[in-house]
Amino acid sequence: MTTEEFNRLQADSRQNVRGDLPPFEADIEEYRHELAEFNLSREAETQLLTTLWHIMAAFVDKGFSVDICTHLFSAEDLLGGTDENGGRA
């Protein structure tokens, strides 16, 4: 991965679903030591860590974009349905 490609991916990760969130920054050097046992080149380590970072960032963005309430509750539940006697809950 070239420096230009890395910078482009880093810029892409800063764009999130909710524009009010601060950008995420991948600190590759903080985690590089975790890959020592795999004997990867520095470039391969950077590519792997960057890929993992983008996967994680995608899940975070996805989590902020999903309206979980509509998946868990019916519209009637959310809008205040009726009780067992037919009255408003």
Side-chain angles (χ1 to χ4, degrees):
M1 173 179 289
T2 66
T3 302
E4 182 180 316
E5 290 171 324
F6 176 77
N7 290 338
R8 183 180 49 78
L9 288 172
Q10 189 107 26
D12 290 346
S13 73
R14 291 185 184 119
Q15 297 174 358
N16 53 61
V17 175
R18 291 179 46 190
D20 58 336
L21 295 175
F24 292 109
E25 297 291 333
D27 187 356
I28 301 298
E29 298 308 317
E30 183 176 345
Y31 300 100
R32 191 178 299 279
H33 70 277
E34 299 288 345
L35 301 176
E37 67 184 277
F38 299 108
N39 297 318
L40 299 172
S41 69
R42 189 164 179 82
E43 183 177 318
E45 288 175 351
T46 299
Q47 188 170 13
L48 176 58
L49 290 169
T50 301
T51 300
L52 290 173
W53 179 261
H54 288 288
I55 291 169
M56 184 276 313
F59 276 107
V60 170
D61 283 345
K62 182 73 171 168
F64 279 113
S65 69
V66 172
D67 181 8
I68 193 66
C69 290
T70 59
H71 293 285
L72 295 177
F73 305 105
S74 69
E76 189 174 277
D77 291 336
L78 293 173
L79 298 174
T82 58
D83 63 19
E84 61 275 358
N85 297 322
R88 294 293 291 167

